[in-house]
């Protein structure tokens, strides 16, 4: 399928350039590697209460959003800068960096902890990379294939404890680099993307929108790298969850970590504070779940009491949704209320079964990359499931 010809620069929202939604301004806060500290969670909770709609919303790129904001109020920027969440205003929107959230905790071939933070520092230190589109996505995969399956533009995928290869637009290249050089490899690849985009005279938002991006970016890097011949071709990876199941990241993980999820990816300010009380930091994943690497004693019970899903059999793990109305003017339905009704009656289960993504229009915002039921609201407020009109959402019963 040919990619669209972009006639304008990407306008993916940030904090300094929020998006005007029906319920006020929406600000997206980037969390490279998904890492957010307890102190930062408390700042975000206060911002949600004082400046927004009282909640934060997880995104499919391991970031979070605040909604219901006044774009003219300078306090949000001041507070987030003070919390270290906007280290380089010029690069704010391009800091989209994933890392395998269980790396160093449970499974995987390499320990990629710390790579996202080091890469983010290098990214912000290169003025030219501020010109990257806001939809660019970087990833450090520890070899299990979880974040590599999230269709990153540029990724490093481990093949062993100290070695990995460059992935470009979902394609494995023959470029290899060691663990310590992974960040520099992706920075050089990002610079090559910008050079090729300028040479082509296009305004591509994603790497794969460039002609032969994997081959051309690899060719641009070879003179400066130790190139080792290796397998090339599209990576065949399953859904972007460990073990292909969203429930695999919920509950006890490894020796001490805990996986949990806010219902529909929405955290109240009270839940943000409960997370802050659970440990020094947590990891936000691109599957709208959270990993607490070293939770405090009793954290699982406290987080369950705060309304988080901490048990892998919970029906909420089978449902995701876009913002819907009234927050989005394009939505034909209040999909989040409908999705919560489905969760309340337990209509969709997980456990290597299809999940359902409920959306208010054909744009299908926030859809997971893995297999799922496509539940789309129609202009009359009814829904269709995988293109078939249904009288109501009870057609989802038993995950049908």
């Amino acid at each position: 399928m040919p990619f669209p010809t972009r006639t304008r620069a990407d306008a993916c929202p940030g904090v300094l350039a929020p998006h005007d939604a029906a319920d006020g301004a929406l600000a997206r806060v980037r969390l490279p590697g998904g890492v957010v500290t307890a102190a930062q969670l408390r700042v975000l909770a206060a911002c949600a209460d004082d400046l927004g709609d009282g909640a934060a919303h997880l995104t499919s790129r391991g970031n979070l959003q605040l909604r219901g904001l006044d774009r003219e109020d300078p306090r949000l920027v001041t507070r987030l800068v003070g919390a270290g969440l906007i280290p380089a205003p010029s690069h704010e929107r391009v800091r989209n960096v994933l890392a395998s959230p269980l790396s160093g905790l449970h499974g995987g071939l390499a320990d990629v902890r710390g790579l996202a933070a080091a890469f983010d520092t290098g990214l912000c230190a290169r003025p030219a990379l501020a010109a990257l589109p806001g939809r660019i996505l970087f990833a450090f995969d520890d070899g299990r294939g979880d974040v590599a399956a999230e269709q990153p533009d540029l990724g490093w995928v481990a093949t062993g404890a100290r070695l990995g290869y460059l992935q470009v637009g979902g394609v494995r290249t023959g470029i290899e680099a060691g663990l310590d050089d992974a960040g520099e490899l992706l920075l050089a690849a990002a610079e090559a993307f910008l050079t090729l985009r300028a040479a082509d005279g296009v305004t591509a938002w994603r790497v794969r929108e460039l002609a032969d991006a994997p081959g051309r970016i690899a060719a641009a890097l070879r003179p400066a790298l130790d190139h080792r011949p290796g397998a090339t071709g599209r990576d065949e990876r399953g859904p972007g969850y460990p073990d292909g199941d969203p429930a695999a990241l919920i509950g006890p993980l490894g020796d001490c970590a805990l996986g949990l999820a806010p219902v529909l990816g929405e955290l109240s300010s009270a839940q943000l504070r409960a997370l802050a009380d659970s440990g020094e930091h947590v990891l936000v994943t691109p599957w709208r779940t959270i990993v607490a690497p070293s939770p405090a004693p009793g954290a699982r019970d406290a987080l369950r009491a705060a309304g988080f899903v901490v048990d892998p059999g919970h029906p909420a793990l089978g449902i995701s949704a876009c913002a819907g109305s009234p927050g989005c003017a394009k939505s034909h339905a209040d999909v989040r209320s409908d999705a919560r009704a489905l969760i309340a009656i337990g209509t969709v289960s997980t456990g290597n079964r299809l999940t359902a993504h409920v959306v208010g229009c054909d744009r299908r915002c926030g859809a997971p990359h893995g297999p799922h039921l496509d539940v789309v609201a129609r202009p009359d407020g009814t829904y269709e499931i995988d293109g078939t009109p249904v009288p109501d959402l009870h057609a989802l019963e038993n995950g049908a």
Side-chain angles (χ1 to χ4, degrees):
M1 180 187 303
F3 288 99
T5 300
R6 305 297 186 184
T7 58
R8 59 180 176 85
D10 172 59
C12 203
V15 177
L16 301 176
H19 167 71
D20 289 320
D23 57 348
L26 176 155
R28 186 169 298 160
V29 183
R30 267 67 177 186
L31 304 173
V35 178
V36 56
T37 67
Q40 290 170 336
L41 287 166
R42 293 189 175 96
V43 170
L44 290 164
C47 289
D49 276 340
D50 300 343
L51 311 175
D53 66 357
H57 307 259
L58 302 186
T59 78
S60 60
R61 289 182 158 207
N63 297 317
L64 60 79
Q65 297 178 159
L66 298 172
R67 301 184 66 101
L69 301 165
D70 176 359
R71 69 159 45 243
E72 303 301 326
D73 192 329
R75 290 179 293 171
L76 179 66
V77 174
T78 300
R79 293 184 185 187
L80 296 186
V81 168
L85 288 165
I86 309 177
S90 58
H91 291 66
E92 181 217 352
R93 296 190 309 118
V94 306
R95 301 169 59 240
N96 302 300
V97 191
L98 302 180
S100 297
L102 294 185
S103 191
L105 301 172
H106 181 60
L109 299 177
D111 187 346
V112 301
R113 288 179 296 181
L115 290 188
F119 172 82
D120 184 45
T121 299
L123 177 70
C124 294
R126 300 195 185 195
L129 294 184
L132 288 166
R135 302 197 188 203
I136 195 84
L137 181 63
F138 302 96
F140 294 94
D141 191 297
D142 68 1
R144 75 185 71 218
D146 55 355
V147 295
E150 290 300 305
Q151 303 175 18
D153 293 273
L154 299 167
W156 181 86
V157 183
T159 54
R162 305 294 302 176
L163 187 65
Y165 64 85
L166 173 68
Q167 184 192 60
V168 177
V171 174
R172 176 175 182 168
T173 72
I175 298 291
E176 293 185 331
L179 180 72
D180 294 339
D181 298 321
E184 286 298 318
L185 175 67
L186 295 196
L187 290 171
E191 291 176 334
F193 163 67
L194 286 178
T195 299
L196 292 171
R197 188 175 74 157
D200 289 355
V202 298
T203 311
W205 293 355
R206 304 296 303 272
V207 164
R208 62 180 181 270
E209 295 176 13
L210 287 181
D212 188 24
R216 295 168 71 199
I217 289 176
L221 297 178
R222 283 189 185 108
L225 295 173
D226 174 22
H227 171 61
R228 306 180 188 184
T232 60
R234 182 159 298 278
D235 272 351
E236 298 296 335
R237 297 187 180 273
Y241 312 111
D243 304 321
D245 182 0
L249 267 179
I250 302 300
L253 303 168
D255 293 334
C256 62
L258 174 67
L260 58 144
V263 175
L264 297 181
E266 182 176 323
L267 300 92
S268 67
S269 58
Q271 288 179 313
L272 288 167
R273 293 185 178 95
L275 269 184
D277 292 339
S278 72
E280 293 183 358
H281 74 279
V282 297
L283 306 171
V284 175
T285 82
W287 312 295
R288 295 185 176 88
T289 59
I290 296 168
V291 173
S294 300
R300 187 179 187 186
D301 289 340
L303 292 167
R304 182 189 288 112
F308 286 98
V309 175
V310 295
D311 302 298
H314 197 287
L317 298 176
I319 297 283
S320 60
C322 71
S325 59
C328 177
K330 291 182 171 63
S331 179
H332 302 308
D334 183 355
V335 298
R336 297 183 80 81
S337 291
D338 292 339
R340 288 181 184 277
L342 289 174
I343 293 167
I345 57 178
T347 56
V348 177
S349 63
T350 58
N352 288 311
R353 301 185 66 176
L354 291 179
T355 59
H357 186 61
V358 188
V359 296
C361 72
D362 287 334
R363 294 186 305 162
R364 295 171 171 80
C365 293
H369 290 133
H372 62 279
L373 297 172
D374 194 36
V375 186
V376 183
R378 303 193 300 178
D380 63 0
T382 62
Y383 286 88
E384 58 182 37
I385 299 175
D386 287 345
T388 301
V390 294
D392 59 55
L393 289 188
H394 286 84
L396 282 173
E397 190 167 1
N398 296 321

